[in-house]
Amino acid sequence: MEDFVVEGLMCPPCTPFHKNGDINYDIIEKYVQHHVDYGVLNVFVTGTTGEGNSLTQSERKKVAEAWINAGKGKLKMIIIHVGSGNLRDSQDLAKHAAEVGANGISCVSPTYHKPETIEDYVSYMEQVAAAAPKLPFYLYDIDFVTGLHFSMDEFFQLAFPRIPSLRGLKHTSPSFPSMNTLLMNYGPKKCQVFLGSDEMYLEALSIGMDVTICNSYLGHVLNRLKEAFDHHDLTKARIEQNRALQVCNIRRKYGLSFPGGTKAVLRAIGLDVGEPRSPLSPVSDDLVARLRKDLEAIGFFEWGVKK
């Protein structure tokens, strides 16, 4: 498993819906090409932005299959998020991901009945990973959503001897000391840490995190940021990071959810993947039009949609 490494940006794609709320599987091939066009060749399917926990078990399997089939020959790595509200469903999704050719799996903790101790947390993930033992396994830590604030260093100390497929962590948290500790203690070859943010990639690169799980429409911006950082051009890297931050601030201005904000920006640039599924709020055409004007005002259609 130590030979498995994700390289380049990774996107958590939205799950596209028709107006009646059914999943729009037909647009996924076009959506894959959108990722390719924006230089994002890895995807993290049915995560938070993908509304995985708002899908049925059957829908999640079909979405995973659709991305894997459409991504053949175009995408590098397809990681399927299998976290759910219970162990058995997550194990079932993990087995399915292995059967249909995913490159890896990731799992977030249940958020209703939660692990009560760090031992419970490790045990739960151990059982999920064991359902697909040949797939690289990544813990998904999004503490401000789950309400779980266990030490990641302690988790990995306990988990590495018990989860042979454990490869790393998707760390959607502002806690940089935690990420730095993991990288210093284990190194990227043993523990690959993915940042889950559009607006802190420069900070992440400075402590050795090469991969961020970002919105696809910022692919050109963040790829230029990484190139500038690699060439020690911090002035240019800061300019690109500020551009990403400007887009994030526009989303925040409208108080949009993770899926809703991403879907609104995608609609504004010409890719309609539908509304978020209830109970999340819909995104009106008027809001999308106002958001597009804001993107025009900051120059996004000059520097965001072009390499």
Side-chain angles (χ1 to χ4, degrees), residues 238-264:
R238 291 188 188 108
I239 289 171
E240 299 296 348
Q241 185 64 87
N242 188 61
R243 286 171 168 173
L245 182 58
Q246 286 180 287
V247 177
C248 293
N249 286 338
I250 289 172
R251 284 183 50 157
R252 271 192 287 271
K253 171 182 174 180
Y254 295 103
L256 297 169
S257 66
F258 290 119
T262 299
K263 289 184 172 186

Side-chain angles (χ1 to χ4, degrees), residues 79-262:
I79 293 179
I80 305 298
H81 172 246
V82 302
S84 70
N86 68 85
L87 175 62
R88 295 299 176 88
D89 279 356
S90 289
Q91 289 175 317
D92 181 42
L93 291 169
K95 290 177 183 176
H96 176 262
E99 290 168 357
V100 298
N103 299 110
I105 56 173
S106 181
C107 188
V108 73
S109 169
T111 56
Y112 190 79
H113 293 299
K114 305 176 185 180
E116 296 179 317
T117 67
I118 190 72
E119 170 57 34
D120 296 334
Y121 197 23
V122 172
S123 176
Y124 186 91
M125 296 303 168
E126 180 181 15
Q127 293 174 79
V128 174
K134 293 184 179 180
L135 286 184
F137 177 82
Y138 290 84
L139 177 68
Y140 181 10
D141 178 42
I142 181 167
D143 53 13
F144 62 91
V145 172
T146 63
L148 294 177
H149 296 277
F150 293 120
S151 162
M152 288 297 95
D153 185 41
E154 187 177 358
F155 176 91
F156 279 89
Q157 286 181 35
L158 295 172
F160 269 131
R162 293 165 53 177
I163 307 177
S165 59
L166 182 60
R167 185 62 193 87
L169 167 73
K170 179 188 177 187
H171 198 55
T172 307
S173 168
S175 176
F176 269 76
S178 169
M179 291 182 270
N180 190 60
T181 298
L182 287 175
L183 290 167
M184 293 300 292
N185 286 351
Y186 302 106
K189 289 188 176 180
K190 183 173 179 64
C191 182
Q192 187 173 26
V193 182
F194 304 144
L195 177 69
S197 172
D198 296 338
E199 55 195 297
M200 296 191 294
Y201 191 30
L202 181 55
E203 293 91 330
L205 288 169
S206 72
I207 62 170
M209 296 171 63
D210 289 339
V211 178
T212 190
I213 298 182
C214 63
N215 281 295
S216 56
Y217 52 76
L218 286 172
H220 295 320
V221 173
L222 297 181
N223 275 322
R224 289 196 300 264
L225 188 162
K226 175 68 162 55
E227 182 179 6
F229 181 86
D230 289 344
H231 286 87
H232 310 292
D233 188 346
L234 288 181
T235 298
K236 184 175 181 181
R238 291 188 188 108
I239 289 171
E240 299 296 348
Q241 185 64 87
N242 188 61
R243 286 171 168 173
L245 182 58
Q246 286 180 287
V247 177
C248 293
N249 286 338
I250 289 172
R251 284 183 50 157
R252 271 192 287 271
K253 171 182 174 180
Y254 295 103
L256 297 169
S257 66
F258 290 119
T262 299

Side-chain angles (χ1 to χ4, degrees), residues 43-62:
V43 290
F44 185 92
V45 177
T46 60
T48 304
T49 303
E51 300 178 73
N53 284 341
S54 293
L55 308 181
T56 68
Q57 195 80 343
S58 175
E59 285 175 332
R60 291 183 69 162
K61 291 179 180 180
K62 289 178 182 177

Side-chain angles (χ1 to χ4, degrees), residues 3-7 9-11 41-45 71 74-80 102-104 136:
D3 293 334
F4 183 87
V5 176
V6 176
E7 297 178 335
L9 301 176
M10 181 181 291
C11 173
L41 302 181
N42 308 290
V43 290
F44 185 92
V45 177
K74 294 183 176 182
L75 300 177
K76 291 180 179 178
M77 298 290 182
I78 298 175
I79 293 179
I80 305 298
N103 299 110

